[in-house]
Amino acid sequence: MAFKAFIKTHVYTKQEASKAKDRSSIQCLECYDRNVYIGTKNATVQHLILSSGTNGDMSPEQITTRDGRTKKLGSNNPIVQLRAVPLFNHLLVLWDRSIIALNMFSLDPVPTLKKIQHVSLFEVSESSFTDRGGCVGMVTSSSRRKVIHIHTVGVDRWEVVKEVPLLQDPWALAVDGTIVCLATCDRYLLCDVETGRGEELFPHDHSRQRIIVTSAGRGEFLLNGPESLGMFVMKTGTCQCPPLQWSPDVLAAKVCFPYILTVQPHALLIYSMLDQQCKQTVSVHGAKGLLSTPGGVVVFTERDIFSLRLVPLEEQIQALVGQEKVEEALLLLNGVQSHRPLDSYKDLQKTITCLAGFVHFYQEGFSEAKDLFIKGELDPREILLLYPDIGTCLSEDFHSQLDQENRGRDLQLLWQKDRNTFHHYLTFLGDFLRAVRGTEQDLKCSTEVDCALLRLYAELGDTENLQQLVIFPNECRLEYCVPVLEQYKRFFALGSLYQSHGKQTDALETWVKIADGSHKDSSCSDVYGHIVWTLSQLDDKETVWKFADWTLQRNQEIGVQLFTKRPREDRLETQDVLVLLEKHLLALVLYLEFLIHDLTSEEESHHNRLALAYVTQMLQEEEEADLRPTRGKLQHLLWESKFYDVSTLYERVKLTALHREKAILLGRRGEHSQALQVLVHQERDLQAAEAYCFRAVQDQDPQELLLTLLQIYLGSEDLISTVVDLLNNNPQAFAAEKVIQLLPDSWSVQLVSQYLFRSIRATVHQRRMVKLQKALAQVQLMQHKVIWMQASKTKFRLDKDEKCKVCQRVLTEPEFACSTHGLTVVISGPFGVLGTETKLAGFGQNHHLLLLHWHVIICIVITDNFDLIIF
């Protein structure tokens, strides 16, 4: 079915006269409201009244008319133009080169308006061209002179207010406001009647084409330009619309936005102003002219009058969409919005945009369809309704506003026969639902959208998006989504869905079944770790205790994190945790390490239990390699901690082979000699014994412990070489006189010569360093004395009535201060705080001198005998 922008309706046929057939034919036409005025070749004005069910747009398909009055003007010269002035009920008639005014209803001449003679063309304007109210404007061209006259027309008078001279006679004219567009014999031009300034536009060849000058509205004119181009010219002389290529046979043209109607000998062609394409052809033979009306145009021949009613734009757009001319529909919709209020087209825009989206949708233009659906604010449920299975998530109270029943069957058939193509439709659905989720389009149907997305992800195997949907707050209905996830074996996502809906126990039980192997789901590689993390963040402590033992039985090292990774402000009772961990030794150790190292616990019981746990671990281990890390932790704890009970731990280890630990505990009791005996004779680790001497005393002198170790070594004949090594490695730590007293008389000097040499050398070096430091101190003292002596040579005179510059009191006390700038002030005493001067601070008449140098206050007293005393 061809697209129709206008509907043609026959309005009137003029009866043929018996004798003067040609003289009674229609020459011109004018319409206003339900009144139609016909001007004939034989100088007759005929008034027709349309049926009462119509108005000026002549909208009914069948229009009836009745005859009104008829007025014969005189001679048989044809009537050239008719123009109605409804403001004054005037009908202006151009006949016999004169303009006369008739009453619109009685067709009687208006006696107060004398006819205007010698007029070839005229046009009425809404502008009055003056400041006078209650008038309309009129432009006439003279048939004798190359001028146009500007008139103001009132109810009982008209007058010329301006004359604009021209270079050539006007052949056609149109008026818009104060701008007149003229056509002369060879060109088009604009004329501003206010300023009289003219502007040439472009030439034309009237011998080859009809001259057309008509107002296109909004300050624009439509002209028949060169090369058969319909040219749109603004009243400023510029073009904002592209030209329209039409036929050279065009006889007349009118604009009825968004279309241009052109009269040709055998038809009426209708072009779109938006894409310059011909949209419709209306068969009209012998058309003579066009007349614009509020709802379309009127076209007339010599005998007939036809109405072309503009089809409502909504129907035009829907027709284009129905013919799958989506781009044209959108172009038309967007084009009319710039000329009409947006609010009136808001709903239409949404509807048409969605319909256009469906056209792209069924053509598999998914990207365009998604954008159009979003722009048209399509209810997502309209899309869900088309999909088999997924549409089952819709509630029963939803009723589609679109006729998509047949389309839905198409997708059902596609789902059955072409799963590959249907997969593309599923992918589009996911993209669209993700795009609208959380927007205003989703507000009314968020539950359906979330349920549809869940089923879609489960069906497509989109694990990542499925998990993102269920772990965050969502509107999924459990009664619908749980069976779907179980059907597609998405048990990990099922647990996350339970969790997001506050069903923590159901979530954990589902995940536990995956970890235990009851459910098969490979979507999460570390379900157990996820369970532990969830428990560590869970506020429901009852649920935590319910699953705590299971997590510890499966993996103590990871399971203990449900206690150690909890937020600081929401930790479980420490004693309750320790009771639970009694049967899980590794978890107990890790938890106690967390309490001591991370929480810096100072409770004796925690330190005791951790040390005892380390001992128990080592005693249970069989391989030596596994003992080293634990033993290192135990020794570090025994050395560094101050909060454990030494006696308790010693009783636990004294009968074991943990000799190093026994030595540390003996040392903590102050029994260093016994500790060294254990390391030397039981542990048989001489390096550990030597290291013990240094670590036990920390930053103090280890000489006493080293002498004790030396005596232990000397007590065994097998350790002679060890004694020599001990002396050689620590010559500074042993006093030579004490060592010589301890060594056996049988030892030769040669045996300990290396030690003696190093010891004497170190002693000499130490004595020399002491002397050097003493000499440096004496030099520094001498420097101070020089400065003092230089300062004592400086004198200040203090008058008897000298006042303090700060408090303005007279200096009556012997103590005062004087700054380097000469400011004299009272001080509290000779050693009061004077500031941070680095030079002589004061000198008084009573021979007291105060000096502040390097932040040290010095009092210098000079007696009457000029003796210098320094305090």
Side-chain angles (χ1 to χ4, degrees), residues 283-299:
S283 176
V284 178
H285 295 278
K288 298 188 64 177
L290 291 169
L291 184 67
S292 296
T293 64
V297 296
V298 174
V299 58

Side-chain angles (χ1 to χ4, degrees), residues 216-236:
R218 300 192 310 160
E220 198 169 24
F221 299 97
L222 176 61
L223 313 176
N224 191 6
E227 305 297 333
S228 300
L229 290 176
M231 304 289 290
F232 289 92
V233 179
M234 300 295 295
K235 59 184 180 181
T236 58

